[in-house]
Amino acid sequence: MRHTIKQSELILTPEGKIYHLDLAPSQLAPTIITVGDPDRVKMVSKYFDTIECTAQHREFKTHTGTYRGKRISVISTGIGPDNIDIVFNELDALVNIDFEKRQIKKKLTSLDIIRIGTSGGLTPEVEVDRFLISTLGIGLDNVMHYYDKTDKIFNRDFAQSFIDHTQWNPDNSVPYAVEADKSLLKKLSSSTTDGEEQKTLQGITITNVGFYGPQGRVLRAKLKDENLNEKLSSFRYKKKRITNLEMETATMYGMAKLLGHRAISMNAIVANRASGTFSENAPRTIDALIQYTLRKISE
């Protein structure tokens, strides 16, 4: 007999929609763009040819429509790994759980999930206003450690090398490393026909659990490890180095692989921590990355 999921575990609204996202299964497209800021949803959907539905609950805002004949949903996740846990579980439930029977479907569906977000470059060559695709995410959060069967997901040699190099504080969460989906990495990377301003960098991304202390920023509160960013910059693993910092990528990659989906993270570099610079026109850079990504996923 198939397992029936309890009401307290699969929470649905009176209208039969998944709780946090406030979406019905029919309202979700198989290709999903995630953004952090709810206001950025309309920055993506303004390029859609049609918009069939909109929804919002708390920070989770969704527009589903079509772009050049391809059905796409754009969803805001809010900030941080904890929100990624909510969004990815509910996206998976929308396609892989029968809401009426409260049972996992026999035939499972894989989603394509593309993050369009901002990020800070860690090394001088990752200049502001460039596009960077994360080939691997290093998670400094604890979300993935609550789930079983991660052995085939994590690159443990990479993570251990990182732990050794940084002399990682054992009071912090244990870092983990997860690679991007190779098919989406190939599809979203720039080609010889793309202009110079749209050429994508590829790099290794740190996913932090906070914006200030965890990313080495100091306002008034003193840091426990004042040299962490320098350790990140000097880290090497098989000639690979860390290029940028943000707050969602590694958790996205981990949850996607755990649930059988494909994920890729597209980063608009709006700051550079090494040079101390910030983009003079971040909205323009974000808009350019949105247009680039939409074009690539529709090809």
Side-chain angles (χ1 to χ4, degrees):
M1 185 174 179
R2 295 170 68 188
H3 172 67
T4 300
I5 304 171
K6 297 177 181 178
Q7 292 182 355
S8 60
E9 313 308 298
L10 174 64
I11 304 172
L12 304 177
T13 69
E15 295 78 25
K17 298 180 178 182
I18 197 74
Y19 177 68
H20 291 95
L21 299 184
D22 196 31
L23 290 176
S26 62
Q27 295 176 310
L28 184 70
T31 298
I32 300 158
I33 292 173
T34 66
V35 295
D37 185 356
D39 289 338
R40 202 171 291 157
V41 170
K42 62 185 177 184
M43 291 178 64
V44 178
S45 67
K46 72 180 182 181
Y47 292 109
F48 286 5
D49 302 315
T50 63
I51 297 178
E52 66 184 67
C53 73
T54 63
Q56 182 165 10
H57 181 216
R58 301 182 182 178
E59 64 264 57
F60 308 109
K61 185 175 184 178
T62 302
H63 288 179
T64 295
T66 57
Y67 177 80
R68 296 183 180 178
K70 189 177 187 67
R71 192 165 181 251
I72 300 171
S73 292
V74 54
I75 300 175
S76 60
T77 64
I79 299 175
D82 51 339
N83 277 22
I84 295 301
D85 179 64
I86 293 172
V87 172
F88 273 58
N89 272 291
E90 295 198 358
L91 290 176
D92 180 75
L94 284 164
V95 294
N96 289 322
I97 296 177
D98 185 319
F99 283 5
E100 291 186 6
K101 296 180 179 178
R102 292 183 166 270
Q103 294 177 345
I104 298 172
K105 296 178 180 178
K106 291 182 179 180
K107 184 178 180 181
L108 300 179
T109 298
S110 293
L111 299 168
D112 285 342
I113 307 172
I114 301 104
R115 171 187 178 269
I116 299 178
T118 55
S119 182
L122 190 62
T123 57
E125 61 269 21
V126 184
E127 299 172 341
V128 296
D129 301 319
R130 294 295 304 270
F131 303 162
L132 185 143
I133 306 179
S134 304
T135 60
L136 180 143
I138 303 174
L140 307 186
D141 62 290
N142 202 33
V143 170
M144 292 307 301
H145 295 309
Y146 284 89
Y147 292 100
D148 195 11
K149 299 182 179 179
T150 55
D151 285 343
K152 293 183 179 180
I153 295 172
F154 293 165
N155 185 329
R156 294 197 181 276
D157 289 342
F158 193 108
Q160 189 59 54
S161 179
F162 174 84
I163 291 168
D164 293 342
H165 175 81
T166 56
Q167 298 176 303
W168 194 251
N169 183 347
D171 290 337
N172 294 342
S173 300
V174 179
Y176 62 92
V178 191
E179 295 177 359
D181 178 80
K182 288 181 172 54
S183 62
L184 286 180
L185 177 61
K186 182 179 180 180
K187 186 175 182 65
L188 272 294
S189 296
S190 57
S191 64
T192 55
T193 59
D194 293 306
E196 184 63 33
E197 72 282 356
Q198 292 192 327
K199 292 211 177 293
T200 54
L201 304 172
Q202 292 188 1
I204 294 170
T205 300
I206 289 284
T207 294
N208 296 88
V209 293
F211 184 77
Y212 287 95
Q215 294 191 33
R217 288 185 172 91
V218 178
L219 298 182
R220 287 203 320 117
K222 184 177 175 61
L223 301 177
K224 185 172 285 187
D225 186 352
E226 296 178 347
N227 299 314
L228 179 58
N229 281 1
E230 285 74 15
K231 293 176 183 177
L232 300 183
S233 299
S234 62
F235 173 71
R236 299 288 187 279
Y237 181 79
K238 296 182 178 179
K239 298 183 179 180
K240 297 179 180 179
R241 64 189 303 186
I242 297 166
T243 52
N244 61 308
L245 310 167
E246 52 75 78
M247 295 178 65
E248 291 89 27
T249 295
T251 322
M252 283 185 60
Y253 287 2
M255 291 301 299
K257 287 184 182 294
L258 186 70
L259 295 168
H261 304 296
R262 295 172 290 272
I264 195 74
S265 179
M266 308 293 292
N267 300 271
I269 303 298
V270 297
N272 186 282
R273 302 300 299 281
S275 64
T277 55
F278 193 85
S279 173
E280 295 182 1
N281 197 335
R284 182 178 61 189
T285 301
I286 295 165
D287 182 67
L289 180 58
I290 288 169
Q291 293 188 62
Y292 171 90
T293 304
L294 284 170
R295 177 170 59 83
K296 285 292 184 180
I297 63 178
S298 66
E299 288 178 348

